[in-house]
């Protein structure tokens, strides 16, 4: 196909790009995206923070009561994730004993502040 005919064919095609974020990007179910934490399930054990390869998870002070295996526990810490440091490896999810931290198939929020955290 000559360059000219290829140009003409492409002029009649729909664009391959989409107007993100106005248009949503299709995301497969197995996509490892944003890390999400459910505070009510977290027992503050720090396992997620210990296994995180890029040290994106910091345990921060947070006094609260959590129900775990029929008992009410008083917890003093909870994890915070630095979004821009996370490599979406999923190890935190794999090692969390309560399912409190999961990697959801959603795109991370954007921003220019390196210290932005999700909780
Ligand atoms: S997905 Fe991996 S890099 Fe991201 S917070 Fe969890 S353990 Fe850390
Ligand atoms: S999110 Fe899970 S692994 Fe991390 S501190 Fe809470 S309970 Fe422990």
């Amino acid at each position: 196909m000559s360059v000219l005919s290829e140009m003409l064919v492409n002029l009649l095609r729909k664009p391959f790009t989409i107007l993100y974020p106005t248009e949503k990007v299709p995301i497969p179910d197995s996509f490892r995206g944003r890390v999400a934490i459910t505070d009510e399930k977290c027992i503050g054990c720090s396992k997620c923070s210990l296994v995180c390869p890029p040290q994106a998870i910091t345990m921060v002070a947070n006094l609260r009561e959590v129900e775990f295996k029929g008992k009410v526990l008083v917890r003093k810490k909870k994890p915070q994730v630095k979004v821009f440091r996370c490599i979406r490896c999923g190890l935190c999810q794999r090692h969390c004993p309560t399912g409190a931290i999961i990697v959801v198939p959603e795109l991370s929020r954007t921003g220019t502040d390196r210290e932005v955290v999700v909780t």
Side-chain angles (χ1 to χ4, degrees):
M1 192 185 287
S2 73
V3 173
L4 191 60
S5 57
E6 195 170 337
M7 278 172 58
L8 289 171
V9 167
N10 281 324
L11 278 175
L12 298 172
R13 279 198 182 132
K14 282 174 64 178
F16 283 102
T17 53
I18 63 162
L19 291 172
Y20 182 82
T22 314
E23 284 179 50
K24 294 292 172 212
V25 181
I27 297 174
D29 291 342
S30 57
F31 179 76
R32 285 195 226 135
R34 184 174 66 79
V35 172
I37 300 168
T38 307
D39 283 348
E40 297 74 38
K41 286 186 181 178
C42 174
I43 55 171
C45 67
S46 302
K47 277 189 182 171
C48 54
S49 157
L50 294 172
V51 299
C52 179
Q55 298 174 338
I57 305 176
T58 310
M59 298 303 292
V60 297
N62 183 254
L63 189 63
R64 68 213 149 84
E65 289 185 347
V66 184
E67 203 178 316
F68 183 63
K69 292 186 177 175
K71 292 181 186 169
V72 176
L73 309 173
V74 177
R75 302 284 78 182
K76 294 180 179 171
K77 290 180 180 176
K78 72 170 192 174
Q80 270 189 344
V81 181
K82 287 190 173 70
V83 174
F84 298 129
R85 202 177 270 188
C86 171
I87 56 171
R88 280 84 172 148
C89 65
L91 281 177
C92 51
Q93 176 176 333
R94 193 186 303 172
H95 289 274
C96 177
T98 65
I101 186 165
I102 56 171
V103 184
V104 293
E106 290 172 16
L107 300 175
S108 296
R109 298 171 197 123
T110 55
T112 53
D113 180 1
R114 281 187 171 272
E115 295 305 310
V116 167
V117 292
V118 293
T119 53

